[in-house]
DNA sequence: CTTGACCTTCCAGTTACTGGAAGTGAGAAA
DNA sequence: TTTCTCACTTCCAGTAACTGGAAGGTCAAG
């Protein structure tokens, strides 16, 4: 399977797949013409990575998850710990964004947004 | 005011303040010894930037907000439009993170996290 | 006069791609 | 067979917003 088809089937851009190879995440075979060749196994991994990335796992997390995925003797506790840490980080980010949202939405709704210069948003930033 | 004191007073690391100068965001005077010298006016701007950054505005947004801050004849609509766009982006990110959170928290809570290999998290990623 | 804190510039690294240039291979139409 | 158009290859540069560190200058205290 050429990289174009692999991209299509995995939902990842070809550029990204090449990048993952460059950082040693997933290394396809090569055909005689030097084209990359993705097997079913590679495709499973690519899709695995795509899903993990879409859940916000870092590429390094993906590397770790991928090795746990391949390790049939893994302890689920190891997987859970990676996921739990990421979940906590997601919660931290949501809290941070929510607090930004609260402050900013107050400022925005207090601003008339007309052609006059007085502006609660600017005032709020200047304090 | 030296950069160390300016950092202290603005809540921004000295490194960051130098970086802002490098990208032309805020340019302090220089003393005879080539040390940076921050005036009260500079300090107001630094604090303004610090607050805008803490609300998640990009550095380019900060550049724009800063010029609106200085423009006493601005239209508040121009400020509001920058802020509104950012607010929408914050909402988009919160929604994205929330959806990640939903999926991941389900997987995590379904995983026993013991020393056995079967793992709903891995299964969910492998699908 | 030395010590230590603070300042200077410059360069490299971070994350995860993304765009583009230059060149090669494959398959189909003329 | 030539040509055309893709898809593929490698390599280099750029993105955002810093951050760390090296090598060296400045200043106040003791």
């Amino acid at each position: 399977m050429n990289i174009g088809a692999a991209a299509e089937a995995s939902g990842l851009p070809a550029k990204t797949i090449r990048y993952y190879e460059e950082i040693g995440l997933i290394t396809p075979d090569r055909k005689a013409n030097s084209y990359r060749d993705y097997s079913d196994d590679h495709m499973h991994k690519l899709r695995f990575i795509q899903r993990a990335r879409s859940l916000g796992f870092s590429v390094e997390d993906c590397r770790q998850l991928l090795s746990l995925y391949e390790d049939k003797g893994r302890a689920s506790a190891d997987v859970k710990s990676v996921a739990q840490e990421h979940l906590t980080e997601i919660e931290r980010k949501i809290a941070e964004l929510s607090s930004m949202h609260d402050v900013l939405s107050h400022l925005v709704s207090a601003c008339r947004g007309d052609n006059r210069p007085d502006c609660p948003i600017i005032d709020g930033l200047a304090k």
Side-chain angles (χ1 to χ4, degrees), chain A:
Chain A
M1 198 178 214
N2 281 355
I3 197 169
E8 179 77 17
S10 66
L12 291 166
K15 275 271 186 187
T16 299
I17 298 177
R18 284 196 199 95
Y19 169 70
Y20 289 161
E21 179 179 350
E22 189 186 320
I23 62 170
L25 201 56
I26 181 166
T27 306
D29 301 330
R30 295 287 179 140
K31 295 192 208 151
N33 59 11
S34 85
Y35 282 20
R36 288 169 178 83
D37 189 14
Y38 294 89
S39 68
D40 283 0
D41 185 49
H42 292 127
M43 291 312 301
H44 285 304
K45 288 184 195 166
L46 280 178
R47 273 187 282 258
F48 182 94
I49 294 166
Q50 190 278 325
R51 286 198 199 92
R53 291 289 297 130
S54 78
L55 288 179
F57 284 101
S58 71
V59 169
E60 285 317 302
D61 282 345
C62 289
R63 193 189 298 276
Q64 207 178 337
L65 290 170
L66 209 49
S67 94
L68 288 163
Y69 170 60
E70 297 205 78
D71 176 5
K72 297 307 172 195
R74 71 188 158 248
S76 67
D78 292 343
V79 182
K80 188 166 182 170
S81 128
V82 173
Q84 180 57 63
E85 215 163 303
H86 178 48
L87 193 55
T88 302
E89 180 63 12
I90 286 175
E91 284 162 2
R92 198 195 56 69
K93 283 183 185 161
I94 290 175
E96 188 181 357
L97 286 167
S98 296
S99 121
M100 289 176 183
H101 187 274
D102 284 359
V103 175
L104 195 53
S105 63
H106 274 112
L107 293 178
V108 164
S109 63
C111 175
R112 272 191 308 256
D114 54 18
N115 61 352
R116 280 177 291 178
D118 57 300
C119 175
I121 301 169
I122 290 287
D123 293 349
L125 290 169
K127 200 96 91 303

